[in-house]
Amino acid sequence: MAPGVLDTSTLILLGRIEDDGALPLEPLITAITLAELSVGPLVATDDVERAARQAHLQQAEADFDPLPFDAAAARSFGQVAASLRRAGRKPAARAYDAMIAAVCIANELPIHTCNPDDFSGIDGLVVVDVPHPDR
C-alpha cells in the first residue's frame, strides 16, 4: 500500500501491531490526531499514565509532519457529517474521527485503523482494518 493515514488509536498501538501488511508504506497522521494526543496528558489520572501519554505525543510530533485540517478538509467534513447522520450516528459524538476522516477524504487517502467501526457509514472513505494486537 502507498500512503495512508493512521488514526489515533492505531498510532498509539503502532509498536505492538504485528501485521505490517495492514499498515501503509508511507504512514501519515493528521493535525487532529496531534490535538487528540495533546488532551491525553492533561486528563491522565496518575503520573505513570500522564508520562506514557506525553511520550506518545512527543514521539508523534518528532516522527510526523501532520496533514492539516484545511479548507478542503472543512468542505469534506460536511460530507462526513451528512454520511454519519444518514447512518444514524451523531457526528458530534465522534468529532475527532469525523475530522480525521474529512482530512483523509480531502487528500484521497485511506484511513488505517484498529477500530474500523469508528469510521463506518462515512461515504467516500476507504477504511483499512488493522488487526488490533489485543484481539
Side-chain angles (χ1 to χ4, degrees):
M1 289 187 196
V5 174
L6 304 175
D7 77 328
T8 308
S9 62
T10 304
L11 176 64
I12 291 169
L13 294 168
L14 197 55
R16 297 178 45 220
I17 293 173
E18 296 175 8
D19 184 1
D20 290 343
L23 297 172
L25 289 177
E26 183 184 345
L28 304 167
I29 66 168
T30 71
I32 307 310
T33 292
L34 284 184
E36 195 171 4
L37 289 173
S38 294
V39 173
L42 300 173
V43 299
T45 56
D46 64 64
D47 290 339
V48 173
E49 185 64 23
R50 185 174 297 105
R53 291 178 180 192
Q54 185 66 35
H56 281 297
L57 171 60
Q58 289 174 316
Q59 193 66 57
E61 290 173 332
D63 290 347
F64 294 95
D65 183 20
L67 297 168
F69 188 86
D70 56 12
R75 285 189 297 278
S76 293
F77 184 78
Q79 289 175 237
V80 171
S83 292
L84 289 171
R85 285 192 181 125
R86 281 192 299 275
R89 300 176 67 202
K90 297 180 181 179
R94 307 283 338 155
Y96 291 125
D97 292 337
M99 292 175 80
I100 291 169
V103 173
C104 290
I105 291 168
N107 289 280
E108 299 179 349
L109 294 166
I111 185 76
H112 294 253
T113 180
C114 293
N115 300 311
D117 290 346
D118 290 351
F119 297 93
S120 68
I122 300 176
D123 297 335
L125 179 66
V126 175
V127 179
V128 178
D129 187 358
V130 177
H132 196 290
D134 294 336
R135 292 184 200 133

